[in-house]
Amino acid sequence: MLNRIVLLLQSCLLVALLSVAGVHAASPTIKQPQVDTPKRVLFVGNSYLYYGDSLHNHVSRLVTAGDPSVKGLQCKSATIGGAPLWHHNIEHLTTPGNIGIKEPFELVILQGNSTTTSSEPAIKRFHEDVKRFSAEIAKHGGKTALYMTHAHVKPSKFASPDMIRKVEALYVEAGNAVGALVIPVGLAFEEAYRQRPDIKLHKDFDGSHPDLIGTYLAACTVYASVYGKSPVGNSYDYYGKIDKETAAFLQKVADETVKKFYGR
């Protein structure tokens, strides 16, 4: 009897550990790009997108480096520091001609506030905004993608071992609800730290914002998710600012993370 109780407790502990590790995380409904080589892309978010020379710039350069035949690429970024989605006027941003792009955006990538999961009202508002924004984007013929934010690390007061699990659940649920592609940037950060605990993807001063190589990892993850191409071997390294070894490692992590996430 005692042995059975011990085995039962061990089984319960294993299930709990696997759950924390994300093994039972929900699967994304959309598992591949919804637009073939999108050329008109809008990023909507906050400072997570504009740190490190702006994410949209890095994604554009990865696209052209990966396929020089791609012409007419138009990537725009609309960001407000610290903003949740509802701070943005999505109707204005997606109306052709309002922000310098005459044709409708083919893909709009939405990034919410990184601390949304710390508040139930904020979680509810995020779901509502994703639905509203997605409907507005679709009205102009575009598709929606969600940029899963990375977890905080120390010294951020929001840093916690389970933060990335909460963020992951939020974005997968919201994305599945509206049929949006979820871009697993947060999971790529987690995997990079798992493989190299000493790597620094965050700014030291706050443990929240991405450092340059964090932005590069995010760009590689967006590229792999949105364009369906592996960033491994891509020649773009921010004009030599990111050393070859680090760039290769981050490209590999992005590629592995995206394949694992969509392969659930």
mmCIF file of all heavy atoms in Angstrom, residues 211-237:
data_model
loop_
_atom_site.group_PDB
_atom_site.id
_atom_site.type_symbol
_atom_site.label_atom_id
_atom_site.label_comp_id
_atom_site.label_asym_id
_atom_site.label_seq_id
_atom_site.Cartn_x
_atom_site.Cartn_y
_atom_site.Cartn_z
ATOM 1 N N ASP A 211 17.556 43.451 -25.416
ATOM 2 C CA ASP A 211 18.838 43.983 -25.862
ATOM 3 C C ASP A 211 18.918 43.734 -27.373
ATOM 4 O O ASP A 211 18.025 43.118 -27.953
ATOM 5 C CB ASP A 211 19.983 43.284 -25.133
ATOM 6 C CG ASP A 211 21.218 44.163 -24.999
ATOM 7 O OD1 ASP A 211 21.312 45.152 -25.763
ATOM 8 O OD2 ASP A 211 22.079 43.874 -24.161
ATOM 9 N N LEU A 212 19.987 44.191 -28.004
ATOM 10 C CA LEU A 212 20.088 44.073 -29.456
ATOM 11 C C LEU A 212 19.944 42.632 -29.922
ATOM 12 O O LEU A 212 19.192 42.350 -30.873
ATOM 13 C CB LEU A 212 21.415 44.644 -29.951
ATOM 14 C CG LEU A 212 21.682 44.478 -31.456
ATOM 15 C CD1 LEU A 212 20.610 45.184 -32.285
ATOM 16 C CD2 LEU A 212 23.071 45.011 -31.811
ATOM 17 N N ILE A 213 20.617 41.690 -29.256
ATOM 18 C CA ILE A 213 20.521 40.306 -29.720
ATOM 19 C C ILE A 213 19.144 39.717 -29.396
ATOM 20 O O ILE A 213 18.700 38.781 -30.053
ATOM 21 C CB ILE A 213 21.658 39.420 -29.164
ATOM 22 C CG1 ILE A 213 21.626 39.358 -27.637
ATOM 23 C CG2 ILE A 213 23.001 39.911 -29.668
ATOM 24 C CD1 ILE A 213 22.609 38.330 -27.080
ATOM 25 N N GLY A 214 18.459 40.275 -28.392
ATOM 26 C CA GLY A 214 17.091 39.859 -28.132
ATOM 27 C C GLY A 214 16.179 40.290 -29.269
ATOM 28 O O GLY A 214 15.310 39.531 -29.714
ATOM 29 N N THR A 215 16.378 41.500 -29.744
ATOM 30 C CA THR A 215 15.610 41.995 -30.890
ATOM 31 C C THR A 215 15.916 41.166 -32.134
ATOM 32 O O THR A 215 15.019 40.855 -32.923
ATOM 33 C CB THR A 215 15.934 43.481 -31.147
ATOM 34 O OG1 THR A 215 15.484 44.253 -30.020
ATOM 35 C CG2 THR A 215 15.255 43.997 -32.397
ATOM 36 N N TYR A 216 17.182 40.799 -32.300
ATOM 37 C CA TYR A 216 17.567 39.982 -33.447
ATOM 38 C C TYR A 216 16.906 38.606 -33.380
ATOM 39 O O TYR A 216 16.384 38.098 -34.394
ATOM 40 C CB TYR A 216 19.090 39.827 -33.496
ATOM 41 C CG TYR A 216 19.602 39.061 -34.704
ATOM 42 C CD1 TYR A 216 19.741 39.686 -35.939
ATOM 43 C CD2 TYR A 216 19.924 37.711 -34.604
ATOM 44 C CE1 TYR A 216 20.205 38.984 -37.047
ATOM 45 C CE2 TYR A 216 20.386 37.000 -35.707
ATOM 46 C CZ TYR A 216 20.529 37.638 -36.929
ATOM 47 O OH TYR A 216 20.981 36.945 -38.026
ATOM 48 N N LEU A 217 16.884 37.995 -32.192
ATOM 49 C CA LEU A 217 16.213 36.701 -32.024
ATOM 50 C C LEU A 217 14.730 36.830 -32.345
ATOM 51 O O LEU A 217 14.152 35.971 -33.020
ATOM 52 C CB LEU A 217 16.401 36.194 -30.595
ATOM 53 C CG LEU A 217 15.625 34.927 -30.218
ATOM 54 C CD1 LEU A 217 16.009 33.761 -31.120
ATOM 55 C CD2 LEU A 217 15.869 34.566 -28.749
ATOM 56 N N ALA A 218 14.115 37.904 -31.869
ATOM 57 C CA ALA A 218 12.698 38.143 -32.149
ATOM 58 C C ALA A 218 12.466 38.278 -33.653
ATOM 59 O O ALA A 218 11.500 37.717 -34.199
ATOM 60 C CB ALA A 218 12.229 39.399 -31.424
ATOM 61 N N ALA A 219 13.344 39.011 -34.334
ATOM 62 C CA ALA A 219 13.209 39.206 -35.779
ATOM 63 C C ALA A 219 13.332 37.875 -36.523
ATOM 64 O O ALA A 219 12.566 37.610 -37.470
ATOM 65 C CB ALA A 219 14.259 40.190 -36.278
ATOM 66 N N CYS A 220 14.265 37.039 -36.111
ATOM 67 C CA CYS A 220 14.431 35.730 -36.741
ATOM 68 C C CYS A 220 13.190 34.864 -36.535
ATOM 69 O O CYS A 220 12.771 34.121 -37.432
ATOM 70 C CB CYS A 220 15.656 35.012 -36.174
ATOM 71 S SG CYS A 220 17.245 35.693 -36.696
ATOM 72 N N THR A 221 12.588 34.980 -35.352
ATOM 73 C CA THR A 221 11.386 34.206 -35.045
ATOM 74 C C THR A 221 10.197 34.698 -35.866
ATOM 75 O O THR A 221 9.400 33.903 -36.373
ATOM 76 C CB THR A 221 11.068 34.288 -33.542
ATOM 77 O OG1 THR A 221 12.224 33.914 -32.783
ATOM 78 C CG2 THR A 221 9.921 33.364 -33.175
ATOM 79 N N VAL A 222 10.070 36.015 -36.013
ATOM 80 C CA VAL A 222 9.020 36.580 -36.857
ATOM 81 C C VAL A 222 9.222 36.141 -38.306
ATOM 82 O O VAL A 222 8.268 35.726 -38.986
ATOM 83 C CB VAL A 222 9.006 38.119 -36.763
ATOM 84 C CG1 VAL A 222 8.047 38.718 -37.809
ATOM 85 C CG2 VAL A 222 8.599 38.574 -35.362
ATOM 86 N N TYR A 223 10.434 36.218 -38.774
ATOM 87 C CA TYR A 223 10.757 35.838 -40.153
ATOM 88 C C TYR A 223 10.374 34.382 -40.424
ATOM 89 O O TYR A 223 9.695 34.069 -41.422
ATOM 90 C CB TYR A 223 12.250 36.047 -40.403
ATOM 91 C CG TYR A 223 12.760 35.532 -41.734
ATOM 92 C CD1 TYR A 223 12.399 36.143 -42.924
ATOM 93 C CD2 TYR A 223 13.618 34.437 -41.786
ATOM 94 C CE1 TYR A 223 12.872 35.679 -44.145
ATOM 95 C CE2 TYR A 223 14.105 33.962 -42.994
ATOM 96 C CZ TYR A 223 13.733 34.582 -44.177
ATOM 97 O OH TYR A 223 14.200 34.115 -45.384
ATOM 98 N N ALA A 224 10.779 33.487 -39.516
ATOM 99 C CA ALA A 224 10.487 32.066 -39.695
ATOM 100 C C ALA A 224 8.985 31.797 -39.649
ATOM 101 O O ALA A 224 8.467 30.960 -40.398
ATOM 102 C CB ALA A 224 11.191 31.251 -38.621
ATOM 103 N N SER A 225 8.269 32.520 -38.786
ATOM 104 C CA SER A 225 6.830 32.303 -38.614
ATOM 105 C C SER A 225 6.013 32.880 -39.760
ATOM 106 O O SER A 225 5.112 32.226 -40.291
ATOM 107 C CB SER A 225 6.367 32.936 -37.294
ATOM 108 O OG SER A 225 7.056 32.417 -36.184
ATOM 109 N N VAL A 226 6.313 34.110 -40.127
ATOM 110 C CA VAL A 226 5.513 34.844 -41.105
ATOM 111 C C VAL A 226 5.832 34.458 -42.542
ATOM 112 O O VAL A 226 4.938 34.386 -43.393
ATOM 113 C CB VAL A 226 5.688 36.359 -40.905
ATOM 114 C CG1 VAL A 226 5.086 37.153 -42.054
ATOM 115 C CG2 VAL A 226 5.074 36.786 -39.573
ATOM 116 N N TYR A 227 7.120 34.185 -42.803
ATOM 117 C CA TYR A 227 7.533 33.878 -44.173
ATOM 118 C C TYR A 227 7.753 32.382 -44.414
ATOM 119 O O TYR A 227 7.980 31.966 -45.549
ATOM 120 C CB TYR A 227 8.789 34.681 -44.536
ATOM 121 C CG TYR A 227 8.476 36.156 -44.665
ATOM 122 C CD1 TYR A 227 8.536 36.995 -43.564
ATOM 123 C CD2 TYR A 227 8.055 36.703 -45.877
ATOM 124 C CE1 TYR A 227 8.203 38.342 -43.664
ATOM 125 C CE2 TYR A 227 7.713 38.043 -45.989
ATOM 126 C CZ TYR A 227 7.794 38.854 -44.878
ATOM 127 O OH TYR A 227 7.445 40.181 -44.977
ATOM 128 N N GLY A 228 7.688 31.599 -43.341
ATOM 129 C CA GLY A 228 7.794 30.155 -43.495
ATOM 130 C C GLY A 228 9.141 29.677 -43.977
ATOM 131 O O GLY A 228 9.258 28.601 -44.571
ATOM 132 N N LYS A 229 10.173 30.477 -43.722
ATOM 133 C CA LYS A 229 11.528 30.111 -44.155
ATOM 134 C C LYS A 229 12.465 30.075 -42.958
ATOM 135 O O LYS A 229 12.333 30.880 -42.032
ATOM 136 C CB LYS A 229 12.042 31.120 -45.184
ATOM 137 C CG LYS A 229 11.235 31.152 -46.467
ATOM 138 C CD LYS A 229 11.811 32.166 -47.453
ATOM 139 C CE LYS A 229 11.013 32.184 -48.751
ATOM 140 N NZ LYS A 229 11.562 33.175 -49.722
ATOM 141 N N SER A 230 13.407 29.161 -42.991
ATOM 142 C CA SER A 230 14.368 29.064 -41.900
ATOM 143 C C SER A 230 15.349 30.234 -41.954
ATOM 144 O O SER A 230 15.876 30.559 -43.022
ATOM 145 C CB SER A 230 15.146 27.751 -41.985
ATOM 146 O OG SER A 230 16.193 27.737 -41.025
ATOM 147 N N PRO A 231 15.621 30.865 -40.803
ATOM 148 C CA PRO A 231 16.620 31.926 -40.780
ATOM 149 C C PRO A 231 18.049 31.388 -40.727
ATOM 150 O O PRO A 231 19.005 32.158 -40.858
ATOM 151 C CB PRO A 231 16.283 32.686 -39.488
ATOM 152 C CG PRO A 231 15.688 31.644 -38.605
ATOM 153 C CD PRO A 231 14.933 30.711 -39.512
ATOM 154 N N VAL A 232 18.189 30.073 -40.548
ATOM 155 C CA VAL A 232 19.528 29.472 -40.438
ATOM 156 C C VAL A 232 20.320 29.711 -41.718
ATOM 157 O O VAL A 232 19.866 29.391 -42.818
ATOM 158 C CB VAL A 232 19.422 27.963 -40.141
ATOM 159 C CG1 VAL A 232 20.809 27.322 -40.184
ATOM 160 C CG2 VAL A 232 18.779 27.730 -38.788
ATOM 161 N N GLY A 233 21.489 30.294 -41.571
ATOM 162 C CA GLY A 233 22.345 30.585 -42.712
ATOM 163 C C GLY A 233 22.096 31.930 -43.351
ATOM 164 O O GLY A 233 22.813 32.323 -44.284
ATOM 165 N N ASN A 234 21.095 32.663 -42.858
ATOM 166 C CA ASN A 234 20.821 33.997 -43.408
ATOM 167 C C ASN A 234 22.018 34.908 -43.158
ATOM 168 O O ASN A 234 22.573 34.931 -42.061
ATOM 169 C CB ASN A 234 19.565 34.582 -42.743
ATOM 170 C CG ASN A 234 19.018 35.794 -43.475
ATOM 171 O OD1 ASN A 234 19.623 36.861 -43.485
ATOM 172 N ND2 ASN A 234 17.841 35.642 -44.064
ATOM 173 N N SER A 235 22.411 35.657 -44.162
ATOM 174 C CA SER A 235 23.633 36.470 -44.071
ATOM 175 C C SER A 235 23.465 37.747 -43.253
ATOM 176 O O SER A 235 24.458 38.375 -42.874
ATOM 177 C CB SER A 235 24.117 36.847 -45.475
ATOM 178 O OG SER A 235 23.139 37.636 -46.145
ATOM 179 N N TYR A 236 22.226 38.124 -42.956
ATOM 180 C CA TYR A 236 22.021 39.384 -42.243
ATOM 181 C C TYR A 236 22.448 39.276 -40.788
ATOM 182 O O TYR A 236 21.956 38.423 -40.041
ATOM 183 C CB TYR A 236 20.557 39.804 -42.312
ATOM 184 C CG TYR A 236 20.267 41.035 -41.492
ATOM 185 C CD1 TYR A 236 20.834 42.268 -41.822
ATOM 186 C CD2 TYR A 236 19.463 40.968 -40.358
ATOM 187 C CE1 TYR A 236 20.594 43.402 -41.054
ATOM 188 C CE2 TYR A 236 19.209 42.093 -39.591
ATOM 189 C CZ TYR A 236 19.786 43.300 -39.935
ATOM 190 O OH TYR A 236 19.555 44.424 -39.171
ATOM 191 N N ASP A 237 23.376 40.124 -40.381
ATOM 192 C CA ASP A 237 23.882 40.127 -39.002
ATOM 193 C C ASP A 237 23.972 41.547 -38.454
ATOM 194 O O ASP A 237 24.842 41.847 -37.638
ATOM 195 C CB ASP A 237 25.249 39.440 -38.933
ATOM 196 C CG ASP A 237 26.287 40.090 -39.848
ATOM 197 O OD1 ASP A 237 25.979 41.139 -40.478
ATOM 198 O OD2 ASP A 237 27.405 39.556 -39.946
#
